[in-house]
Amino acid sequence: QVQLVESGGGLVQAGDSLRLSCVVSGRIFSSHVIGWFRQAPGREREFVASARWNDHRTYYADSVKGRATISKDKAKNTVYLQMNSLEFEDTGTYFCARGTSPYDSFTVWGQGTQVTVHS
């Protein structure tokens, strides 16, 4: 059974950086996409970034473009989300998920890691 475990969240100041990690246990097929989403209190979950497992294509939400970088270490079955110049609006629970297309069709989710940005 596939499991995703996020880590790396924390309490930071605006302008700081964080790197989130998502370790995937189980099989990742070449057709899979690993994505990052976030959910702020009282708001719906939103797409942040995703990466195709089998090539270098990556996708970003406009709200994080230029501040976020998604990368992967296939030897470690780990996907990272580097977030720079954090803003108060980046606060939320960050989830990673496995799917088959860049923006939707994610069916396996981790439990999330909390990111809190103080302005």
Side-chain angles (χ1 to χ4, degrees):
Q1 187 167 349
V2 175
Q3 286 188 316
L4 295 89
V5 179
E6 305 93 336
S7 63
L11 177 63
V12 298
Q13 298 291 322
D16 286 352
S17 298
L18 272 181
R19 188 177 79 159
L20 306 180
S21 300
C22 172
V23 178
V24 184
S25 61
R27 292 292 300 274
I28 306 176
F29 296 103
S30 59
S31 60
H32 282 142
V33 175
I34 303 297
W36 283 96
F37 293 76
R38 66 187 180 190
Q39 186 167 21
R43 300 185 65 177
E44 292 187 356
R45 187 167 56 195
E46 64 175 0
F47 169 80
V48 177
S50 64
R52 293 189 181 274
W53 190 251
N54 199 43
D55 58 43
H56 296 292
R57 284 180 285 179
T58 57
Y59 309 85
Y60 296 94
D62 288 342
S63 58
V64 302
K65 204 169 289 184
R67 301 189 296 119
T69 303
I70 188 170
S71 60
K72 57 185 184 282
D73 184 335
K74 297 177 78 171
K76 296 182 179 179
N77 262 26
T78 300
V79 176
Y80 304 99
L81 180 68
Q82 176 73 38
M83 293 282 293
N84 300 323
S85 302
L86 284 161
E87 304 169 351
F88 174 75
E89 291 75 19
D90 294 317
T91 295
T93 303
Y94 283 68
F95 301 89
C96 65
R98 189 191 75 175
T100 54
S101 62
Y103 301 103
D104 52 22
S105 300
F106 290 87
T107 56
V108 184
W109 295 82
Q111 293 191 328
T113 185
Q114 178 67 35
V115 173
T116 303
V117 183
H118 280 292
S119 56

